Amino acid sequence: MSVCMNADHPLMTVRDLTHMYGNRVGCRDVSFDLHPGEVLAVVGESGSGKTTLLDCVSARLERSSGTVGYQMRDGRMQDLHALSEAERRFLMRTDWGFVHQNPADGLRMNVSAGANVGERLMAVGQRHYGQIREAAMDWLGRVEIDDDRIDDRPGTFSGGMRQRLQIARNLVTGPRLVFMDEPTGGLDVSVQARLLDLLRGLVDDLGLSAIVVTHDLAVARLLSQRMMVMKDGRVIETGLTDRVLDDPQAPYTQLLVSSILQV
Amino acid sequence: MPHKLILDDVAKSFTLHLRDGITLPVVAGVSFHVGGGECVVLGGASGAGKSSILKMVHGNYGVARGEILVMHDGSQVDLAVADPRTVLQVRRRTIGYVSQFLRAIPRVSALDVAAEPLIRAGVDADAARDRTASLFARLNLPERLWSLPPATFSGGEQQRVNIARGFLPDLPILLLDEPTASLDQRNREVVVAMIAEKKQAGTALLGIFHDADVRDAVADRVIDVSQFAESPLAA
């Protein structure tokens, strides 16, 4: 484990989090704790509020009410929404990663793969060109992108490669928490499997915490230890991932689980 | 010998919301204990709830009523009400599980699948792979398969990967869900010997074995699960 923290204290504490779009509910009264090294899956159909929740807990969207506490690197718990804009941006650049469903939302498409990875390092103050390039090379290797593609732009990459590049860009600064929004959405099944396996290995090796939004229960089963099921903006069931999937309690969860195609 | 696993008045039923909310009773009043060095076998007809009992102890089924007590890191934990993080820690350090089917992970080699719990428990990766390799050899798993993902293996080959994964960590309690169902005679004998060694080492084993020869060879006690059947009328 490269991340050293007190695992007994939550990394993130969410209480009664609500976001309203006017009169419409985005997410309502959501509470959970995320501990260091834990992967939490948030599942539900489109419109269930899972992406709104992800955006609220990652401070990309203002909350309407409730609190999101985060354990800073020095161990202090901080209310995210009380941070200054500069502090919040610093968190996003250093301590957090955000993997978007569409890699184009998380990459700079008009600069090289190496620059996409190196840029995050420069944003945290690294200036030595050789070291930055070396780190970029190392990370491209870890996400299985060949060395000789380092100077190519992501526009020339396949969908799966772009997604792996986005992951490298996010992990190069050694974040403690990664938010993922449908990280395998839109990819071919074989490409998905490779990405999932890669993510699973990285999360394990680095001791990362992650919140993964997905509508794909197989992705949740493979990546997460705990799961929350959302419907109409609320959490309707939560627990160990394999228990929620093997012994679902809520009518809606039973419907979701029974709708999986068996292969 | 203190009891390592105690079930007290445990009950389980399923409520099927998609079937007009009917309740399927599975078991009720399940009370027994397993001591260290003992192999207790759950018996009874198919559908009597043997697997459900194992799954409640492992935690992938919820518990409707009763207590499931284990000693975990020196203190008693009631798995019926333990939070998810506690259950995960219990699985890592106290209760091992050999499931009936291997849930294969794309692209991960058989060796790494089986070595994973050891590595998670803090064993050095090379040492864990060495121990896994020798157990694979003992289970007669052909060496050419070790570096391949088990998804394409035969049922018996997958089961041996699963057995290695469950038997490698030295945990105080081991749950076995038909670990020998798709094995040939020679490999069944290997598993019987492995169970005997676990007993010798003081492990508490709780298992389901359809194969009568294996059951007779390993069981210290057989608990007939049909005595815990709850009739739908009584529910």
Side-chain angles (χ1 to χ4, degrees):
Chain A
M1 298 280 155
S2 60
V3 182
C4 196
M5 274 178 291
N6 188 345
D8 287 338
H9 291 100
L11 185 61
M12 182 172 264
T13 322
V14 176
R15 292 292 176 272
D16 306 316
L17 190 66
T18 297
H19 181 85
M20 303 292 292
Y21 297 103
N23 289 328
R24 207 162 49 77
V25 174
C27 61
R28 174 169 266 173
D29 298 333
V30 177
S31 299
F32 66 88
D33 286 344
L34 183 75
H35 284 79
E38 247 184 354
V39 179
L40 173 71
V42 183
V43 305
E45 289 169 346
S46 337
S48 60
K50 53 195 197 304
T51 296
T52 300
L53 174 66
L54 192 72
D55 287 345
C56 276
V57 299
S58 58
R60 295 154 47 85
L61 193 62
E62 283 295 329
R63 67 196 159 168
S64 303
S65 60
T67 58
V68 181
Y70 184 72
Q71 188 198 119
M72 308 296 277
R73 288 207 180 216
D74 61 9
R76 275 178 311 128
M77 278 312 269
Q78 268 280 3
D79 184 348
L80 279 188
H81 294 86
L83 292 176
S84 71
E85 189 52 38
E87 288 173 308
R88 222 179 292 179
R89 221 177 294 160
F90 186 73
L91 265 188
M92 286 186 183
R93 278 203 301 247
T94 57
D95 221 26
W96 291 356
F98 200 108
V99 177
H100 300 263
Q101 172 171 8
N102 180 359
D105 294 340
L107 291 173
R108 291 223 294 145
M109 298 303 282
N110 55 351
V111 302
S112 71
N116 261 289
V117 179
E119 197 178 52
R120 279 266 293 193
L121 284 175
M122 288 193 281
V124 295
Q126 286 218 29
R127 289 289 172 264
H128 189 284
Y129 176 78
Q131 284 169 5
I132 290 172
R133 193 173 166 86
E134 199 176 311
M137 198 81 97
D138 173 48
W139 268 98
L140 291 179
R142 291 173 81 162
V143 299
E144 304 171 10
I145 294 174
D146 288 339
D147 283 4
D148 60 5
R149 302 301 301 268
I150 187 169
D151 295 318
D152 294 347
R153 294 180 183 188
T156 67
F157 287 8
S158 68
M161 277 174 79
R162 285 184 200 176
Q163 196 54 298
R164 298 202 301 276
L165 178 62
Q166 194 192 178
I167 288 163
R169 177 180 161 95
N170 271 285
L171 297 187
V172 68
T173 53
R176 294 187 300 164
L177 174 56
V178 180
F179 303 98
M180 301 187 215
D181 191 1
E182 303 280 4
T184 60
L187 298 174
D188 290 340
V189 186
S190 62
V191 179
Q192 267 192 31
R194 181 179 188 185
L195 189 74
L196 278 175
D197 172 40
L198 179 80
L199 277 175
R200 199 175 166 273
L202 289 172
V203 165
D204 262 8
D205 292 349
L206 304 172
L208 286 177
S209 306
I211 301 177
V212 185
V213 159
T214 179
H215 69 276
D216 186 335
L217 298 180
V219 169
R221 163 101 68 181
L222 207 60
L223 285 181
S224 72
Q225 296 104 34
R226 278 200 307 134
M227 192 159 119
M228 294 200 306
V229 183
M230 291 189 73
K231 186 176 191 295
D232 302 331
R234 291 177 185 272
V235 174
I236 55 157
E237 186 158 357
T238 177
L240 272 178
T241 297
D242 58 16
R243 186 180 304 183
V244 173
L245 292 175
D246 293 346
D247 188 13
Q249 302 295 314
Y252 177 71
T253 316
Q254 293 188 354
L255 178 66
L256 269 188
V257 171
S258 68
S259 307
I260 306 175
L261 294 174
Q262 302 285 332
V263 287
Chain B
M1 183 70 62
H3 303 318
K4 292 210 169 170
L5 171 65
I6 300 169
L7 280 80
D8 185 20
D9 197 27
V10 169
K12 175 73 194 162
S13 60
F14 290 105
T15 303
L16 306 183
H17 292 289
L18 306 180
R19 297 278 180 273
D20 300 323
I22 60 163
T23 298
L24 289 183
V26 182
V27 287
V30 180
S31 299
F32 64 86
H33 52 78
V34 186
E38 184 181 36
C39 182
V40 171
V41 172
L42 300 174
S46 188
K50 302 185 294 290
S51 270
S52 294
I53 292 174
L54 278 196
K55 285 175 178 170
M56 284 190 281
V57 178
H58 185 244
N60 53 328
Y61 275 5
V63 178
R65 193 176 66 233
E67 293 183 325
I68 298 179
L69 303 173
V70 295
M71 287 301 286
H72 170 68
D73 288 354
S75 54
Q76 197 173 54
V77 171
D78 180 2
L79 289 169
V81 294
D83 62 48
R85 293 184 66 229
T86 306
V87 174
L88 289 170
Q89 278 164 14
V90 166
R91 286 183 191 174
R92 197 165 290 193
R93 293 200 292 274
T94 302
I95 300 184
Y97 181 45
V98 178
S99 59
Q100 213 171 339
F101 302 104
L102 179 70
R103 193 172 287 283
I105 303 154
R107 296 208 313 163
V108 181
S109 74
L111 202 62
D112 286 341
V113 167
E116 185 188 64
L118 275 183
I119 294 171
R120 287 221 166 139
V123 176
D124 167 75
D126 287 335
R129 289 200 185 91
D130 285 348
R131 281 176 60 188
T132 306
S134 19
L135 193 53
F136 277 178
R138 187 175 175 196
L139 286 160
N140 305 299
L141 191 70
E143 194 166 346
R144 63 188 157 75
L145 297 180
W146 298 0
S147 59
L148 302 177
T152 55
F153 291 10
S154 74
E157 287 159 355
Q158 289 196 1
Q159 194 156 41
R160 279 175 276 165
V161 174
N162 231 2
I163 289 167
R165 185 182 155 92
F167 273 78
L168 277 164
D170 292 313
L171 303 181
I173 299 168
L174 187 55
L175 309 175
L176 306 168
D177 193 351
E178 299 196 43
T180 55
S182 33
L183 299 185
D184 58 23
Q185 185 59 33
R186 176 172 69 144
N187 288 313
R188 275 206 295 268
E189 281 163 14
V190 175
V191 175
V192 168
M194 284 165 57
I195 291 172
E197 288 161 23
K198 285 284 182 196
K199 285 205 260 183
Q200 202 74 50
T203 307
L205 296 110
L206 177 64
I208 301 169
F209 300 90
H210 277 302
D211 185 82
D213 292 347
V214 176
R215 190 172 54 218
D216 294 344
V218 301
D220 294 296
R221 280 186 290 139
V222 177
I223 293 174
D224 184 358
V225 169
S226 46
Q227 68 184 294
F228 306 126
E230 195 181 39
S231 79
L233 292 175

